[in-house]
Amino acid sequence: MKLHWQILLALVLAVAVGLVTGPDTRLFGLSLTAAYQFVGSLFMNGLRMLIVPLIMSSIITGVAGLGARGDLGRLGGRTLLYYMTTSLLAILVGLGLVDLFQPGIVGGQPAREALGLAPVPADLVARVQGKGTGDLVAIFLRMVPVNIVSAAAQGQMLGLIFFSLLFGYFMSRIEGEPARTLHAFWEGVFGVMMCMTEWIMRFAPLGVFALVTRVVATTGLGAFRPLLVFFVTVLLALAVHALVVLPALLRLLGRVDPRRHYRAMAPALLTAFSTASSSATLPVTMECVERGAGVSNRVTSFVLPLGATVNMDGTALYECVAALFIAQAYGLHLSFATQFSVVVIALLTSIGVAGIPAASLVAISVILGSIGLPLEAVGLILAVDRVLDMCRTAVNVFSDSCGAVLMARLEGERPLA
Ligand code: ASP
């Protein structure tokens, strides 16, 4: 059986088993939730341990190759333009739908009381307290890390990316034996990382089963009822972006058949869905785009590692919908200028947000702080956040992969041909 069918089967089984078992089921005295947690974490750790060497080696080899040929400016400029454009489109789709459906208004009244603010876990309060626009500045300040080792250790990918971009660029500026040695070394590291990815992915069906069963068993379906309209609004907006906007770009700009691209990307999309982390999915994304869609390593090694942190369409969309939903629930009418500032902050924070589960929650509190809403309101959406996180992460990864295909086309390649 092909890997993506195995993963899909695991997903279906996970939902069924999760619904049957619930959060407190025990088997021979062992908590099943703890068992799922263990297996799921093991799989996630396996993928995450590859991230630092993978991001460094792929960006360094990618940029060094481009730098040597003088292509860096062109590809870099186009890639950033793509990231900004698609994220903005995603936000506008979200804005349109949240204004249309008004999930925060129930029966003509702001829904705050009807929803009842869920109690906010203490650690969340600590994490989001005092986040304001100053935080936005801090995100970009971290882009130039004081210490590259600690940036890597703390998972601050923007810093690592910035360092790797510089390293790769200046590697193409030195000559002779040291240059050749460095090239061979980083290409070797990159090759090994890809092989390790392939091996870890053999365990994907098991990992996916554990991760998803745990979510279903602990969240259940009851959690969705009060937030149903919000939930559906986000899902619909994500679907419009991933099934209409991005495929249209693929067809119009890239002249490729989007259906073939979906098929090639299936394992990566399913992994993104199950792990809710675009960084953890990065190794799989790279493999699918190179082997499945046939994009050259020259393009993928630049576009994808950058995209996994910088380009998050689903996240940007979610931030905007969530912030406006909360504003609606509090009975706040946002002026055009405020909505515009929500759009801008959603765009900027989606660049700075890490590709890890629930990372958006912090960004949403930045937005709430900037429009003067109480941060506890984040608690409102916690119940449905995980499932929406899974969906928006898949959209994040899909947008990165479309970017790689489009950049490859613009560079004269023929992916998915
Ligand atoms: N989990 C998302 C990702 O990794 C980030 C977020 O929106 O929370 O892409």
Side-chain angles (χ1 to χ4, degrees), residues 193-208:
M193 286 308 122
M194 291 307 276
C195 293
M196 281 170 74
T197 305
E198 226 172 291
W199 180 74
I200 290 176
M201 277 308 282
R202 288 205 220 146
F203 301 95
L206 198 65
V208 165

Side-chain angles (χ1 to χ4, degrees), residues 230-296:
F230 169 67
F231 188 76
V232 171
T233 308
V234 175
L235 279 195
L236 209 64
L238 288 175
V240 168
H241 190 64
L243 300 176
V244 180
V245 178
L246 291 175
L249 288 180
L250 275 184
R251 203 181 277 281
L252 295 179
L253 297 181
R255 308 207 173 287
V256 294
D257 181 359
R259 275 168 303 182
R260 299 189 56 170
H261 188 53
Y262 286 117
R263 219 168 298 144
M265 291 308 297
L269 296 181
L270 292 169
T271 309
F273 181 80
S274 322
T275 57
S277 164
S278 17
S279 291
T281 312
L282 177 64
V284 192
T285 317
M286 293 186 77
E287 199 179 273
C288 289
V289 175
E290 269 184 43
R291 303 242 169 102
V295 174
S296 71

Side-chain angles (χ1 to χ4, degrees), residues 4-350:
H4 58 267
W5 289 117
Q6 291 181 27
I7 301 181
L8 212 59
L9 190 70
L11 267 176
V12 175
L13 278 179
V15 174
V17 174
L19 285 179
V20 172
T21 51
D24 308 312
T25 313
R26 292 176 166 270
L27 199 67
F28 308 120
L30 179 83
S31 153
L32 278 186
T33 315
Y36 302 142
Q37 167 101 31
F38 175 74
V39 176
S41 303
L42 213 55
F43 175 64
M44 280 282 268
N45 288 0
L47 284 174
R48 287 167 67 184
M49 87 183 164
L50 304 179
I51 297 174
V52 170
L54 181 70
I55 286 200
M56 287 198 77
S57 63
S58 61
I59 292 189
I60 289 174
T61 50
V63 171
L66 294 175
R69 277 186 298 265
D71 294 343
L72 187 61
R74 192 185 63 229
L75 188 61
R78 283 177 183 167
T79 306
L80 289 185
L81 186 68
Y82 170 85
Y83 290 164
M84 297 301 250
T85 313
T86 54
S87 298
L88 194 62
L89 287 175
I91 295 175
L92 293 180
V93 169
L95 191 64
L97 290 189
V98 78
D99 276 339
L100 184 69
F101 289 131
Q102 308 231 328
I105 311 283
V106 174
Q109 291 294 321
R112 186 174 67 93
E113 274 177 42
L115 289 165
L117 271 178
V120 187
D123 73 314
L124 186 79
V125 178
R127 248 173 50 210
V128 299
Q129 206 119 63
K131 304 270 171 188
T133 21
D135 244 37
L136 209 59
V137 178
I139 288 177
F140 289 94
L141 208 55
R142 276 202 298 271
M143 219 162 101
V144 186
V146 182
N147 182 330
I148 171 77
V149 178
S150 87
Q154 291 166 14
Q156 282 171 7
M157 289 308 147
L158 273 189
L160 201 64
I161 288 174
F162 183 70
F163 178 83
S164 307
L165 286 172
L166 288 185
F167 193 100
Y169 178 72
F170 287 104
M171 202 167 98
S172 67
R173 290 283 163 270
I174 61 170
E175 281 164 9
E177 193 56 33
R180 278 192 294 279
T181 311
L182 278 176
H183 277 280
F185 170 76
W186 285 108
E187 270 168 28
V189 174
F190 180 65
V192 172
M193 286 308 122
M194 291 307 276
C195 293
M196 281 170 74
T197 305
E198 226 172 291
W199 180 74
I200 290 176
M201 277 308 282
R202 288 205 220 146
F203 301 95
L206 198 65
V208 165
F209 174 78
L211 288 168
V212 178
T213 314
R214 194 182 135 254
V215 174
V216 177
T218 46
T219 322
L221 296 182
F224 298 103
R225 231 165 275 143
L227 293 163
L228 199 62
V229 186
F230 169 67
F231 188 76
V232 171
T233 308
V234 175
L235 279 195
L236 209 64
L238 288 175
V240 168
H241 190 64
L243 300 176
V244 180
V245 178
L246 291 175
L249 288 180
L250 275 184
R251 203 181 277 281
L252 295 179
L253 297 181
R255 308 207 173 287
V256 294
D257 181 359
R259 275 168 303 182
R260 299 189 56 170
H261 188 53
Y262 286 117
R263 219 168 298 144
M265 291 308 297
L269 296 181
L270 292 169
T271 309
F273 181 80
S274 322
T275 57
S277 164
S278 17
S279 291
T281 312
L282 177 64
V284 192
T285 317
M286 293 186 77
E287 199 179 273
C288 289
V289 175
E290 269 184 43
R291 303 242 169 102
V295 174
S296 71
N297 175 259
R298 189 175 78 90
V299 173
T300 52
S301 62
F302 178 74
V303 175
L304 293 177
L306 207 60
T309 302
V310 172
N311 182 43
M312 295 195 177
D313 294 6
T315 295
L317 181 158
Y318 180 70
E319 286 175 19
C320 178
V321 175
L324 290 181
F325 164 67
I326 291 171
Q328 288 171 358
Y330 273 88
L332 224 77
H333 186 74
L334 298 187
S335 63
F336 177 77
T338 318
Q339 294 211 5
F340 181 75
S341 80
V342 170
V343 169
V344 173
I345 304 178
L347 187 67
L348 293 180
T349 45
S350 76

Side-chain angles (χ1 to χ4, degrees), residues 276-279 312 315 353-361 389 392-393 396:
S277 164
S278 17
S279 291
M312 295 195 177
T315 295
V353 159
I356 53 172
S360 298
L361 293 181
D389 195 3
R392 66 184 184 252
T393 307
N396 290 344

